[in-house]
Amino acid sequence: MKRLTKWMVLGSAFLAAMATLSASPAGADSLGDPRPGASSVPGDELSARALVLTLTQGLTVLPSTRAVVLQCSPVGGGTHPKTREACTALEPASGDVRKFKPAAGLVCPLIYEPVTVSAVGVWKSRFTMSSQTFGNSCQMHNALGAVGSF
């Protein structure tokens, strides 16, 4: 039951963030002509890609200590400080933070201070939610790169 509740809270945060972004005049004007075939951009580029990313000190998703909105398409935006780099890194992972692994050869201190990152939203117009816990923030930054830089 606790797991369902945390995802409901994260989902609600995501929907609230998306409502804020969709109300933005810049986002609405950037979409161009909505007629089928009117855009020269491939259909996959126009599919929705937006996530609410949260960071929590500890093993659980809630209560989060930081949260950002990452909007990758149809227009880039949100509150993530490295939108372009994070969107590029998330593309091969289909928005799933569990698919990120630490880079080989990078050494982090052996201090156990777990951090949990979660992602809730839509990727290629499909709902997605994932979370991953790392042994410490160094391991998180090593694995996530720009995605975890918020």
Side-chain angles (χ1 to χ4, degrees), residues 67-80:
V68 294
V69 175
L70 176 64
Q71 183 176 353
C72 298
S73 75
V75 292
T79 57
H80 194 288

Side-chain angles (χ1 to χ4, degrees), residues 106-120:
L106 194 67
V107 178
C108 287
L110 296 176
I111 299 171
Y112 185 65
E113 292 177 345
V115 292
T116 302
V117 175
S118 70
V120 177

Side-chain angles (χ1 to χ4, degrees), residues 3 11 37 45 74 76 83 89 100 116 131 134 141:
R3 178 169 270 203
E45 293 297 318
T83 301
F100 287 84
T116 302
S131 67
F134 298 92
H141 288 294

Side-chain angles (χ1 to χ4, degrees), residues 47-84:
S47 64
R49 290 178 183 88
L51 300 170
V52 173
L53 300 169
T54 64
L55 176 66
T56 306
Q57 301 297 322
L59 301 172
T60 62
V61 175
L62 292 174
S64 63
T65 52
R66 280 187 257 163
V68 294
V69 175
L70 176 64
Q71 183 176 353
C72 298
S73 75
V75 292
T79 57
H80 194 288
K82 295 185 176 184
T83 301
R84 184 169 297 174

Side-chain angles (χ1 to χ4, degrees), residues 125-136:
S125 299
R126 293 187 173 193
F127 180 76
T128 182
M129 62 181 174
S130 61
S131 67
Q132 183 170 185
T133 300
F134 298 92
N136 57 46

